[in-house]
Amino acid sequence: MRKNIVAGNWKMNNNATQTKALINDLKETLGVISPNCRVLISPTSINLSSAVDAVHGSVIEVSAQNMHQALSGAYTGEISADMLQDIGVKTVILGHSERRTYFGENDVMLTEKVSTALKNNLEIIFCFGELLEDRKSENHFKVVESQLKNVVLALDASAWKNIVLAYEPVWAIGTGETASPEQAQEMHAFIRSLVNSTYGKTIADDVSILYGGSVKPSNAQEIFSKEDVDGGLIGGASLNAIDFTGIVSAF
Ligand code: PGA
């Protein structure tokens, strides 16, 4: 049975002091509601190790925002899958639209990253989603299908126990504009049908598909109530303990 997940993507926000403070706040606010779903936070890489220590004993899990595709070597400024594992990080976000847009990550690179993460037993939150022009030209299903077919739908079935999908329409990220619950459900059902036709019903039923793009406490419940929406990847609203807890409590 698939799990509901609320994952916060802190992006390039919060220094070490702020990271500790926000985790302490979250432990308090989440402690009051006893979450009905998995809860992850993704601090920037320099603060991952201290975050792993700080969440100890709470329901919060820590994920990374990115990693390099090589196992190790001369890649100045990068972090490897093994480095994440070694400090106790078990999950990594790959393919976020900001990585694709600003850092040139494409399907080839993401295929390598996914493969390296899996070899190192990391769970992957794989992000994808169409641009505004794709939706306007009614190409959004085609774009999403190709983003999935080129990377995760080419994996062995055995990899899927470590895959979480995150549909994030680029036009809804950080813009305040959210896909309607119906638009999210329509796309999530399509995504699940692609997984079904590639791997069969068990894997399709078991994979968690998150929605991302301007999720807030005020719209989370309606979006999460849709049959094929199993949670959210939260940017802006994950930077405030009350807002993030409000989203978690939508389950
Ligand atoms: P947002 O970001 O919630 O601020 O729109 C979502 C994301 O980028 O994962």
Side-chain angles (χ1 to χ4, degrees), residues 7 9 11 96-98 127 168 172-177 212-216 233-238:
N9 174 11
K11 310 190 181 184
H96 191 278
S97 74
E98 286 147 21
C127 304
E168 299 204 298
I173 296 177
T175 58
E177 186 168 347
S214 300
V215 178
K216 315 179 256 279
L233 183 56
I234 320 298
S238 71

Side-chain angles (χ1 to χ4, degrees), residues 4-246:
N4 291 324
I5 301 173
V6 174
N9 174 11
W10 290 6
K11 310 190 181 184
M12 198 174 71
N13 294 293
N14 290 331
N15 63 24
T17 311
Q18 292 161 332
T19 296
K20 274 198 193 126
L22 182 49
I23 290 173
N24 281 338
D25 288 351
L26 283 169
K27 281 161 92 171
E28 224 167 88
T29 51
L30 290 168
V32 174
I33 63 160
S34 303
N36 233 341
C37 59
R38 284 180 66 193
V39 179
L40 290 94
I41 56 167
S42 311
T44 188
S45 62
I46 199 171
N47 294 319
L48 284 172
S49 189
S50 65
V52 169
D53 291 343
V55 301
H56 191 76
S58 77
V59 297
I60 307 168
E61 300 168 56
V62 174
S63 57
Q65 299 175 16
N66 181 36
M67 48 151 255
H68 195 266
Q69 59 271 35
L71 293 174
S72 65
Y75 301 98
T76 301
E78 293 292 322
I79 57 168
S80 73
D82 171 63
M83 291 168 189
L84 295 178
Q85 271 292 357
D86 186 53
I87 58 165
V89 172
K90 306 278 180 225
T91 305
V92 60
I93 297 171
L94 292 176
H96 191 278
S97 74
E98 286 147 21
R99 299 293 318 169
R100 294 176 189 256
T101 306
Y102 305 135
F103 303 97
E105 293 196 5
N106 55 29
D107 292 345
V108 173
M109 200 187 289
L110 287 169
T111 298
E112 291 173 8
K113 288 193 179 208
V114 165
S115 157
T116 301
L118 291 171
K119 271 187 211 137
N120 283 274
N121 290 319
L122 288 168
E123 175 186 53
I124 295 161
I125 300 178
F126 184 73
C127 304
F128 53 93
E130 82 282 1
L131 304 171
L132 184 59
E133 64 238 42
D134 301 323
R135 186 158 280 264
K136 281 194 175 149
S137 59
E138 295 184 1
N139 277 319
H140 44 298
F141 291 112
K142 239 190 253 161
V143 168
V144 162
E145 182 169 356
S146 111
Q147 287 173 323
L148 291 172
K149 282 203 162 148
N150 290 342
V151 186
V152 286
L153 290 177
L155 293 167
D156 282 348
S158 61
W160 278 76
K161 58 183 186 305
N162 285 318
I163 303 284
V164 171
L165 299 177
Y167 168 60
E168 299 204 298
V170 178
W171 48 272
I173 296 177
T175 58
E177 186 168 347
T178 323
S180 70
E182 292 69 33
Q183 284 173 320
Q185 169 56 26
E186 183 186 35
M187 184 58 88
H188 282 223
F190 173 70
I191 294 160
R192 205 177 299 284
S193 77
L194 290 174
V195 179
N196 190 2
S197 58
T198 316
Y199 300 101
K201 190 167 167 6
T202 307
I203 289 181
D205 283 347
D206 282 354
V207 66
S208 299
I209 308 178
L210 314 185
Y211 167 80
S214 300
V215 178
K216 315 179 256 279
S218 57
N219 60 23
Q221 199 157 18
E222 213 189 338
I223 298 172
F224 295 173
S225 71
K226 293 295 176 190
E227 190 185 341
D228 289 295
V229 179
D230 309 310
L233 183 56
I234 320 298
S238 71
L239 298 172
N240 174 291
I242 306 272
D243 286 349
F244 190 61
T245 302

